[in-house]
Structure formats: structure tokens, C-alpha cells
Amino acid sequence: QIHDRVFKHKNYNFVVGLTTPEYIDSLESFEIKDSDVFLVTYPKSGTVWAQQIIISIHELHGNQTKYSNNMERMPWLEYKTAEYTLLPSPRLFASHLPEHIMPPGVKEKKAKIVYLMRNPKDNVVSFYHFSKAMADLDTPESFDQFFEWYITGNVFASSWFDHVREWYLKRDQYNILFLTYEEMILDLKGSVKKICNFLGINLTEAAICQVVEKATFQNMKNDSKANYQHLPPEQFSGKFLRKGQIGDWKNTLTVAQSERVDQVLQEKLGDLPLSFIRE
Ligand code: PPS
């Protein structure tokens, strides 16, 4: 089952109108620079949050560039929204691509990947609300319907389980840092420091505190560069910063749905040392 608003290419669901099979194919020869930084996520895992952090770290490090919003400073690799070869270094990209579609050059260069994951129960709830508000996506009739789409990977970005598994299994081929949304919620400052260390950027304690300040839920909500309110309301009628919590899934998933996620987690990721759910 595949919906109107997605097309499958290279065994992955893309959004119709946001990219093309030809452009995706061209990524095979996309030239990578050692200084490139990629933030890779399954959708609704905290992308815009980590985007704000990575951009702020670079700004405070002295990489001042003019940009009107975070999407412009750190565009999505799979949606060609600018001439990427002309972007100043270090280039910063966001991406929801699975490992098998990532430009092969990323492996050969010293380019860095921050891979951010979020537990699938909160992820599916966030994705459901996003699907209702985003005109580019198929609109579910109910949470129950969306849950079925999600569990079977019949959504934009395909299966969360496959995305996480594939990136995790191939991790040794990349210069990659795994982070979770949950650890960012529980220790934002520690997470910012982890990202700085990984990027090889030394910030003063005061600068780190500034990054943390800029990345709080409330401040991001009011930051016009970070909150994605620049998207036209006919395209997106919701909030990118919706609730920003761990465990909100308990207000939405039934016991049976929660158990189903546990079961699929066990089936698909049970052999890997990853744990996601925080009660
Ligand atoms: S997207 O469309 O894939 O780019 O969405 P993404 O940014 O990955 O995920 C959106 C969810 O991340 C939450 N978010 C935050 N949580 C805590 N603190 C901060 N600063 C923050 N910024 C974004 C956002 O609220 C979405 O989660 P939900 O559960 O829907 O609130």
C-alpha cells in the first residue's frame, strides 16, 4: 500500500513534489568535502532542534553567515533548495535519507554525521500530528490508521525500524555520532558538549550556555529562524515545536499499540544494543 503523496525510489518513500528520482540518483556522485556536517534523522526525531544546536555552535565558533532561517543555513540534502556546491564551508546539511542512499563520498571523506534517534512511541505520535498539518503528506483519518501506516513503513521515510537498524549496522563505515532525543531532553548541556566534541569545536563554558539557551523549547518557539513559521500556512498549518516531551505517547497509544511497538522493536532491533523507551 502506498499513498498519493509519496513515491518509492531505491526502496525508500519520498514526498512527491519535494524531490525527484533523478535528483536522488544524482546524489551518487554528490561531491563531499571533509568539512561537511550532516544531521541525519528519521522524521520527527528532533531534527530542527539539533539543527538549531549545530548552527549555533558554528556561529559561536565564528562561522558567521547571513541566513534568514535554519532551513537556509542547513538545508535538506535530498531537497535541492539551493546550489549546494556554492555553500560556504563548513557546509551543514540535514537529511532523512537512509544509509543506502547517502552519497558514497561521505564514507571516503572525513565528513561528520550526527545521527539523532527518538523512541518510536513518541515518534509516531509526533509524526501523526505532523501528517495532519503538512499539506505535502497523506492525511490520516485517525491515529489508529496512521499507526498502521507507521508500523508497516507505509509513510514518508518508510520504516523507522529499518532506518535506525540500517544506520546502526553500517556505523563503522562512517564518522558518526549517535544521539537520542531522550538524552537531549534529560541533559541538553551534556548533549551540546557531546556534539561540540564530536565536531572538534572548542567553545567556552559561556558559549556552551548560549547554545543551550538558544535551543530551549521556549526560545526556539519564539525564534523566527528556528521555528519554521516561515512556511506558508497553506503548506503547513501546525507547529514544528508542538509539545517537545518524552512519554506523551501515553496519552495516545492504546496498551495494544504500545505492546505492538515493543514486539516490533524486539523483532527488528532486539539483537542490537539500543534501548529507546523511557517510561
Ligand atoms: S522534522 O519535520 O522531521 O524536521 O521534525 P523534527 O524536528 O525531527 O521533530 C519535531 C519534534 O521535535 C520537537 N522539538 C523539540 N523538543 C524539545 N526541545 C526542543 N527545543 C525542540 N525542538 C523541536 C518538536 O516539538 C517535535 O516533537 P513533538 O512531540 O511533536 O512536540
Side-chain angles (χ1 to χ4, degrees):
Q1 170 201 3
I2 188 140
H3 307 291
D4 289 351
R5 305 299 301 142
V6 297
F7 68 93
K8 199 182 258 313
H9 186 62
K10 296 191 165 182
N11 204 26
Y12 179 77
N13 293 339
F14 291 96
V15 180
V16 172
L18 297 187
T19 191
T20 62
E22 294 72 29
Y23 177 64
I24 296 303
D25 288 347
S26 78
L27 292 177
E28 277 175 35
S29 53
F30 185 84
E31 211 160 311
I32 302 296
K33 299 179 182 182
D34 286 340
S35 55
D36 289 343
V37 176
F38 296 88
L39 166 65
V40 181
T41 59
Y42 185 83
K44 314 321 292 178
S45 301
T47 323
V48 306
W49 190 8
Q51 190 183 37
Q52 170 85 337
I53 292 171
I54 293 170
I55 291 172
S56 305
I57 290 173
H58 281 87
E59 272 198 317
L60 285 158
H61 187 56
N63 282 298
Q64 297 287 355
T65 44
K66 279 207 160 60
Y67 61 97
S68 47
N69 55 62
N70 285 355
M71 200 168 162
E72 191 179 304
R73 175 67 184 100
M74 192 167 184
W76 264 255
L77 177 63
E78 57 271 34
Y79 313 138
K80 192 170 187 287
T81 51
E83 189 45 72
Y84 292 160
T85 49
L86 301 179
L87 294 177
S89 295
R91 296 186 301 183
L92 310 178
F93 293 105
S95 178
H96 296 312
L97 287 176
E99 190 276 337
H100 69 274
I101 310 182
M102 204 63 183
V106 178
K107 289 181 201 165
E108 289 138 30
K109 299 280 177 171
K110 296 191 192 85
K112 297 187 170 80
I113 298 179
V114 175
Y115 187 84
L116 177 62
M117 321 174 260
R118 184 179 192 183
N119 86 70
K121 296 183 187 179
D122 284 325
N123 184 253
V124 65
V125 173
S126 182
F127 206 164
Y128 166 65
H129 289 286
F130 187 67
S131 299
K132 287 197 299 181
M134 177 56 95
D136 296 321
L137 299 178
D138 292 287
T139 311
E141 278 162 17
S142 62
F143 178 76
D144 291 353
Q145 184 186 45
F146 186 78
F147 182 82
E148 290 306 316
W149 296 355
Y150 180 90
I151 278 285
T152 52
N154 273 305
V155 283
F156 152 52
S158 299
S159 156
W160 177 92
F161 303 91
D162 292 346
H163 203 280
V164 169
R165 181 174 183 85
E166 193 183 341
W167 272 109
Y168 192 78
L169 285 179
K170 298 285 173 63
R171 66 194 182 283
D172 289 346
Q173 301 180 24
Y174 295 91
N175 195 355
I176 191 165
L177 172 71
F178 283 87
L179 271 183
T180 63
Y181 179 91
E182 290 73 27
E183 71 181 286
M184 283 172 58
I185 289 278
L186 296 175
D187 181 11
L188 183 53
K189 194 171 177 185
S191 304
V192 169
K193 285 183 176 173
K194 252 193 198 175
I195 296 172
C196 283
N197 279 341
F198 175 67
L199 297 175
I201 292 178
N202 244 323
L203 291 185
T204 61
E205 190 64 20
I208 286 174
C209 291
Q210 272 178 272
V211 175
V212 170
E213 264 308 293
K214 289 194 77 164
T216 63
F217 189 80
Q218 265 322 314
N219 287 346
M220 274 185 67
K221 238 178 146 43
N222 298 326
D223 182 342
S224 60
K225 284 188 171 180
N227 62 17
Y228 280 72
Q229 298 294 105
H230 71 273
L231 295 178
E234 60 276 16
Q235 186 186 11
F236 184 65
S237 57
K239 298 259 182 289
F240 267 75
L241 287 107
R242 192 186 58 92
K243 275 203 166 175
Q245 293 169 3
I246 309 179
D248 183 44
W249 61 267
K250 288 179 192 154
N251 298 316
T252 304
L253 269 72
T254 61
V255 172
Q257 285 167 336
S258 166
E259 286 174 0
R260 178 105 174 270
V261 175
D262 292 338
Q263 176 209 331
V264 181
L265 259 177
Q266 184 52 36
E267 273 166 30
K268 297 237 189 179
L269 296 170
D271 57 332
L272 303 179
L274 295 169
S275 61
F276 290 100
I277 310 303
R278 254 174 239 275
E279 297 305 323

